[in-house]
């Protein structure tokens, strides 16, 4: 694949075949961080090959971790509780990486954070995390809570308050930090708690690496005893539900039969709910162990759901909703405005340009499904992998092909997405683009 490219996705009469889900983005991030915080060597089996994984690896190498690739596995030699001070980290466009490492930067006397994605990660807010670190005694400098950021530690634990309504990643970062502080940390989450799924994935990761945590059932208070160590482990990255939700939704809106393998039934990824949402829309999805098979082409009906429970699958499910009869609404999705693009307004813009009816409020997104979608336009991928997946799905069911600009951003989480679509029979043309 060229460095930068647009794609033209053609209408597909049917989709048919089997693919193995790509490795989970969120678990790859967590396992590599916990491995780096361990002393000794961790084997991470089946690690993601995405841009975000490489961004994280690069940052952790700067801090002193060593990585050896062995086929699909990654061996990680950690730096324990002591990342190297005085370094500059560039998490590129990876939000979770940036936030988790900013929290851990409190272990250093100074770490600077920059990004080469000023229009995406450069616009995303980190102020709530920086406030929490300042409560613990860190000195922080930032551009109004945005990158570039400087963090100077060390910090002292005990208790901290963090606003949980813009992103769960701030809290997850503090959870990673907590066991390495002498007194541990009692974390009080304030405001609406968004993205509970990833928070539970973080707590689970600490457990896997031998760290004790205690959390209230509602996650309002999380306590991590101090003076603990991460213990090197052997871990396997499970299949990725957010990316697979796009394949499942594609299969639901086209005739044919598609199986996605390696999607664990008991998994903490909130986007697992995409399976149930598609079923509730009327799609024919069946689970057989870790494989999900979709027999596509059944009529779909609209529904109303709390989209925060499956935040990274909302775009894929919006593409399915655009084929459903009636108006589908995703409620409680205000945080979508703070992702790689504004996934509410920018989605609405693209849907309207495609001739669909869509509405938004501050915290919701609605789309009215249609039987017929003309296509034949160039749509803006908004530099956002999840928008690119949504637009690709719309193209598969349109009358005429849709060209999506900036399609290289798919690599952020799902480098094989177009390969997987092709394997299922879709026609995808790649157009290399020269930057002006
Ligand atoms: O913790 C994580 O790894 C993530 C948390 C979620 O973000 P928010 O907590 O900002 O919603 C999710 O959208 C993102 O893709 C990954
Ligand atoms: C929002 C996302 O990622 P991040 O916040 O890690 O950049 C995503 O993967 O959809």
């Amino acid at each position: 694949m060229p460095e930068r490219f647009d794609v033209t996705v053609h209408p597909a009469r049917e989709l048919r075949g089997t693919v193995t889900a790509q490795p989970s983005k969120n678990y790859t991030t967590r396992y590599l961080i916990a491995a780096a915080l361990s002393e000794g060597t961790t084997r991470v089996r089946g690690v993601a090959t995405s841009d975000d994984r490489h961004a994280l690896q690069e940052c952790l190498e700067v801090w002193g971790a060593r990585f050896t690739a062995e086929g699909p596995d990654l061996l990680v030699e950690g730096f324990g509780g002591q990342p190297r001070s005085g370094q500059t980290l560039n998490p590129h466009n990876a939000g979770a990486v940036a936030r988790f490492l900013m929290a851990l930067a409190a272990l250093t006397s100074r770490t600077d954070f920059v990004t080469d994605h000023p229009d995406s990660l450069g616009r995303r807010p980190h102020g709530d995390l920086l406030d929490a670190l300042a409560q613990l005694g860190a000195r922080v400098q930032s551009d109004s809570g945005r990158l570039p950021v400087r963090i100077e530690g060390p910090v002292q634990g005990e208790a901290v308050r963090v606003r949980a309504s813009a992103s769960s990643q701030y809290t997850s970062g503090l959870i990673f930090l907590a066991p390495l502080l002498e007194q541990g940390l009692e974390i009080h989450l304030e405001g609406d708690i968004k993205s509970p799924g990833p928070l539970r994935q973080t707590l689970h990761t600490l457990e896997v690496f031998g760290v004790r945590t205690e959390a209230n059932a509602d996650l309002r208070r999380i306590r991590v005893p101090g003076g603990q160590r991460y213990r090197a482990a052997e871990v396997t990255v499970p299949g990725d539900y957010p990316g697979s939700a796009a394949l499942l939704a594609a299969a639901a809106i086209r005739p044919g039969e598609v199986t996605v393998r390696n999607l664990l039934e008991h998994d903490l990824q909130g986007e697992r709910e995409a399976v149930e949402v598609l079923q509730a829309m009327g799609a024919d999805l069946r689970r057989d162990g870790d494989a999900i098979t979709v027999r596509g082409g059944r009529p779909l009906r609209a529904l109303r759901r709390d989209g925060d429970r499956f935040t990274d699958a909302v775009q894929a499910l919006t593409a399915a909703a655009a084929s459903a009869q009636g108006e589908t609404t995703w409620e409680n999705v205000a945080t979508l405005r703070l992702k790689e693009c504004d996934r509410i307004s920018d989605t609405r813009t693209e849907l309207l340009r495609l001739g669909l009816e869509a509405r938004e409020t501050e915290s919701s997104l609605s789309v009215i499904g249609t039987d017929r979608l003309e296509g034949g336009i160039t749509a803006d991928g908004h530099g956002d992998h999840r928008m690119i997946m949504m637009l690709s799905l719309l193209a598969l069911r349109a009358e005429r092909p849709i060209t999506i600009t900036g399609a290289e951003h798919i690599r952020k989480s799902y480098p094989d997405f177009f390969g997987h679509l092709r394997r299922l029979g879709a026609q995808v043309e790649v157009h290399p683009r020269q930057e002006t």
Side-chain angles (χ1 to χ4, degrees), residues 215-433:
N216 288 7
D218 63 2
L219 297 172
R220 191 55 69 190
R221 189 186 68 98
I222 296 167
R223 207 180 83 77
V224 186
Q228 301 191 70
R229 285 174 180 209
Y230 287 83
R231 276 191 243 121
E234 287 216 9
V235 289
T236 302
V237 177
D240 188 72
Y241 270 98
S244 300
L247 295 185
L248 299 175
I253 59 177
R254 300 314 298 141
E257 185 171 317
V258 169
T259 299
V260 184
R261 289 194 304 225
N262 193 30
L263 290 175
L264 303 186
E265 186 168 5
H266 303 289
D267 189 301
L268 295 172
Q269 295 171 66
E271 290 77 8
R272 193 165 59 98
E273 196 171 325
V275 175
E276 194 261 310
V277 173
L278 287 167
Q279 284 169 332
M281 291 174 104
D284 178 359
L285 274 82
R286 277 167 219 192
R287 178 182 282 282
D288 180 11
D290 297 340
I292 296 174
T293 296
V294 188
R295 288 198 191 86
R298 296 228 314 216
L300 301 182
R301 50 184 177 269
L303 41 67
R304 176 177 283 269
R305 282 291 165 108
D306 178 345
D308 185 55
R309 298 159 57 91
F310 42 84
T311 181
D312 286 347
V314 167
Q315 261 50 45
L317 293 172
T318 298
S323 288
Q325 184 159 28
E327 178 168 357
T328 291
T329 298
W330 311 121
E331 294 169 329
N332 190 26
V333 291
T335 62
L336 289 185
R337 295 190 184 280
L338 306 174
K339 311 265 178 182
E340 287 81 325
C341 69
D342 177 339
R343 289 184 185 159
I344 295 182
S345 287
D346 293 337
T347 295
R348 185 170 146 262
T349 303
E350 296 308 314
L351 294 178
L352 294 179
R353 291 185 59 237
L354 280 159
L356 285 150
E357 263 186 82
R359 290 189 249 276
E360 66 181 283
T361 68
E362 188 48 37
S363 62
S364 74
L365 172 66
S366 303
V367 56
I368 296 169
T370 53
D371 286 343
R372 216 178 145 268
L373 187 68
E374 176 66 26
I377 66 161
T378 295
D380 183 350
H382 292 271
D384 184 336
H385 51 143
R386 310 244 179 250
M387 296 290 282
I388 294 162
M389 289 184 229
M390 179 189 80
L391 292 165
S392 300
L393 267 50
L394 292 168
L396 293 172
R397 61 150 296 210
E399 309 280 320
R400 295 194 291 141
I402 295 175
T403 296
I404 305 162
T405 58
E408 71 274 9
H409 290 282
I410 198 69
R411 285 196 288 251
K412 177 179 157 67
S413 73
Y414 198 168
D416 286 340
F417 177 66
F418 296 118
H420 282 177
L421 284 188
R422 282 179 174 148
R423 191 165 319 151
L424 299 176
Q427 194 192 337
V428 181
E429 283 171 64
V430 172
H431 315 289
R433 205 179 61 248

Side-chain angles (χ1 to χ4, degrees), residues 25-26 30 96 99-100 124 166-169 172 195 198 311-312 335 339 386:
K25 165 180 176 277
N26 294 359
R30 284 164 173 72
R99 275 84 176 254
F100 298 172
R124 296 174 70 183
S167 172
S168 69
Q169 293 171 355
S172 280
S195 293
T311 181
D312 286 347
T335 62
K339 311 265 178 182
R386 310 244 179 250

Side-chain angles (χ1 to χ4, degrees), residues 29-78:
T29 316
R30 284 164 173 72
Y31 287 169
L32 294 188
I33 287 183
L37 292 170
S38 306
E39 274 156 26
T41 303
T42 290
R43 177 180 290 273
V44 184
R45 287 205 190 84
V47 73
T49 57
S50 60
D51 280 356
D52 280 12
R53 171 264 162 120
H54 290 292
L56 174 58
Q57 183 172 335
E58 207 179 290
C59 292
L60 292 173
E61 270 167 350
V62 172
W63 264 356
R66 291 224 290 265
F67 294 84
T68 313
E70 254 188 36
D73 300 354
L74 199 55
L75 299 179
V76 187
E77 228 181 286

Side-chain angles (χ1 to χ4, degrees), residues 58-237:
E58 207 179 290
C59 292
L60 292 173
E61 270 167 350
V62 172
W63 264 356
R66 291 224 290 265
F67 294 84
T68 313
E70 254 188 36
D73 300 354
L74 199 55
L75 299 179
V76 187
E77 228 181 286
F79 45 71
Q82 284 182 315
R84 214 176 264 153
S85 287
Q87 307 298 314
T88 298
L89 304 184
N90 180 352
H92 300 284
N93 204 22
V97 171
R99 275 84 176 254
F100 298 172
L101 298 185
M102 280 184 206
L104 291 167
L107 297 168
T108 71
S109 61
R110 174 171 62 76
T111 303
D112 288 306
F113 291 86
V114 297
T115 179
D116 50 2
H117 287 72
D119 295 332
S120 189
L121 186 58
R123 292 183 192 217
R124 296 174 70 183
H126 317 293
D128 295 334
L129 172 59
L130 300 180
D131 287 350
L133 294 174
Q135 285 168 49
L136 294 171
R139 295 204 324 175
V140 298
Q141 290 171 45
S142 72
D143 178 3
S144 315
R146 288 171 173 74
L147 292 169
V149 164
R150 168 169 290 187
I151 293 166
E152 293 172 294
V155 294
Q156 281 214 327
E158 264 191 302
V160 70
R161 283 171 284 106
V162 62
R163 202 169 76 95
S165 52
S167 172
S168 69
Q169 293 171 355
Y170 313 141
T171 305
S172 280
L174 295 168
I175 296 172
F176 277 119
L177 170 68
L180 299 169
L181 302 179
E182 219 176 283
Q183 294 149 307
L185 208 49
E186 185 162 295
I187 308 169
H188 296 267
L189 280 68
E190 298 192 327
D192 265 4
I193 299 175
K194 303 295 189 196
S195 293
L199 279 178
R200 294 191 195 282
Q201 290 166 46
T202 304
L203 291 168
H204 175 236
T205 300
L206 264 68
E207 221 173 87
V208 169
F209 283 78
V211 175
R212 277 175 297 118
T213 63
E214 296 159 23
N216 288 7
D218 63 2
L219 297 172
R220 191 55 69 190
R221 189 186 68 98
I222 296 167
R223 207 180 83 77
V224 186
Q228 301 191 70
R229 285 174 180 209
Y230 287 83
R231 276 191 243 121
E234 287 216 9
V235 289
T236 302
V237 177

